[in-house]
Amino acid sequence: MRFALMLTCLCLLSLIGLPSAQAETINIAAAISMKEALLDAEIAFARQTGDEVEFSFGASGVLLTQIKNGAPIDGFISASVEQVDEVEKAKLAVVGSRRIVAMNTLVMIVPAGSKLKLTSIKDLARDDVKKVAIGQPKTVPAGQYAMQTLASLKLDQAVAGKIVNGANARQVLDYVQRGEVDAGFVYATDAQRIGDRVRIIASAPDDSHDPIVYPAVIVAASKKQTAADRFLNFLGSRDGKRILERRGFITEAPAKPVTQPASK
């Protein structure tokens, strides 16, 4: 009897700290602007659940194309509602799985050593401003938000000939910090990440562009939908929100769910 009890205790101790037999590895396609925050979240998520997450980071429009082409993706986190709208319209998302995991703001930045003395977004119309970097609007939500802002401030025509397109939000950031352009539009979280290598000149007015939200869905073709749902739920948990907020993201949900772009 005593031997049986000791054996049972040893077996239980050997299982402590091991992941569940149901632990899985899932693939999440996510906007590159969330890279560091999601990598942080994955570490905490793995400790809690035993599940592991592998990420495909890139421009939201590029990730959308991959999903449409049948890439083995379990969950999708976009930097814009537009791409998730398309996934749902194509019936490639699990019905009812959509949720907003974070929000962000758009800022205009210049190289840390810039001598142009820009003080507002309207200064981009000045003749001494030659190059302004934004994400490719067709595939990069940050680029779409930037173009909306320029149009709202009636600067789109004045700046049109100065635009330098980046393949994603991070490439725009690289252009600015290396001094290859005079200014650029990036997410506040990206500007925060690289510290004093760039300077924030202004935030885009909230009413100048669509709300910057990160909607997420589970991909209908996934065979690991339950595990993908666990990860997205973790991002919405207290621990997940704390991790996102440390990286500068906003986690309070809008008063009304955002389902369609406000304007184009």
Side-chain angles (χ1 to χ4, degrees), residues 147-156 207-209:
M147 289 304 297
Q148 291 171 0
T149 296
L150 292 173
S152 175
L153 298 178
K154 297 181 172 30
L155 294 170
D156 46 334
D207 61 358
S208 70
H209 57 74

Side-chain angles (χ1 to χ4, degrees), residues 36-46 55 231 234-235 240 243-244:
E36 288 75 20
L38 291 181
L39 291 175
D40 290 347
E42 192 278 334
I43 294 171
F45 175 69
F55 295 101
F231 180 65
F234 173 77
L235 294 179
I243 291 169
L244 294 173

Side-chain angles (χ1 to χ4, degrees), residues 10-259:
L10 287 172
C11 289
L12 289 173
L13 286 172
S14 69
L15 293 174
I16 293 175
L18 292 179
S20 164
Q22 300 300 314
E24 298 185 78
T25 298
I26 58 174
N27 296 301
I28 300 292
I32 196 168
S33 54
M34 293 200 79
K35 183 175 181 179
E36 288 75 20
L38 291 181
L39 291 175
D40 290 347
E42 192 278 334
I43 294 171
F45 175 69
R47 287 173 180 163
Q48 285 191 16
T49 66
D51 294 328
E52 295 186 0
V53 185
E54 295 180 350
F55 295 101
S56 295
F57 292 110
S60 298
V62 173
L63 299 174
L64 167 65
T65 299
Q66 292 175 5
I67 292 171
K68 286 184 173 181
N69 289 337
I73 293 169
D74 301 302
F76 177 37
I77 305 175
S78 173
S80 168
V81 298
E82 182 176 343
Q83 286 75 28
V84 171
D85 285 345
E86 289 199 38
V87 171
E88 290 185 325
K89 287 176 184 175
K91 301 187 185 307
L92 297 174
V94 173
V95 176
S97 67
R98 181 171 179 153
R99 79 285 308 265
I100 292 172
V101 298
M103 295 182 290
N104 214 332
T105 54
L106 187 73
V107 296
M108 176 186 135
I109 59 172
V110 299
S114 174
K115 298 184 177 4
L116 289 179
K117 297 183 180 179
L118 305 182
T119 60
S120 73
I121 296 174
K122 291 187 176 182
D123 285 344
L124 296 178
R126 285 172 20 187
D127 291 340
D128 55 347
V129 176
K130 306 298 183 184
K131 294 181 180 180
V132 179
I134 68 170
Q136 170 54 252
K138 291 182 179 179
T139 56
V140 183
Q144 296 171 1
Y145 299 133
M147 289 304 297
Q148 291 171 0
T149 296
L150 292 173
S152 175
L153 298 178
K154 297 181 172 30
L155 294 170
D156 46 334
Q157 296 300 317
V159 179
K162 306 177 183 184
I163 295 295
V164 175
N165 290 135
N168 55 56
R170 293 298 172 84
Q171 189 171 68
V172 172
L173 190 66
D174 288 341
Y175 287 158
V176 177
Q177 68 174 325
R178 293 199 300 259
E180 296 176 7
V181 297
D182 298 313
F185 286 92
V186 300
Y187 295 120
T189 50
D190 283 333
Q192 171 185 308
R193 182 177 62 85
I194 65 169
D196 59 4
R197 284 175 281 175
V198 298
R199 286 190 288 117
I200 296 176
I201 298 302
S203 296
D206 289 340
D207 61 358
S208 70
H209 57 74
D210 294 335
I212 302 176
V213 296
Y214 290 79
V217 288
I218 299 170
V219 177
S222 168
K223 292 179 171 40
K224 301 177 181 179
Q225 294 179 9
T226 300
D229 188 55
R230 279 198 295 270
F231 180 65
L232 296 184
N233 284 338
F234 173 77
L235 294 179
S237 70
R238 183 170 59 183
D239 289 343
K241 287 181 177 181
R242 190 176 296 126
I243 291 169
L244 294 173
E245 289 167 358
R246 276 202 301 264
R247 289 290 185 174
F249 288 93
I250 303 163
T251 61
E252 290 297 322
K256 295 181 180 180
V258 178
T259 57

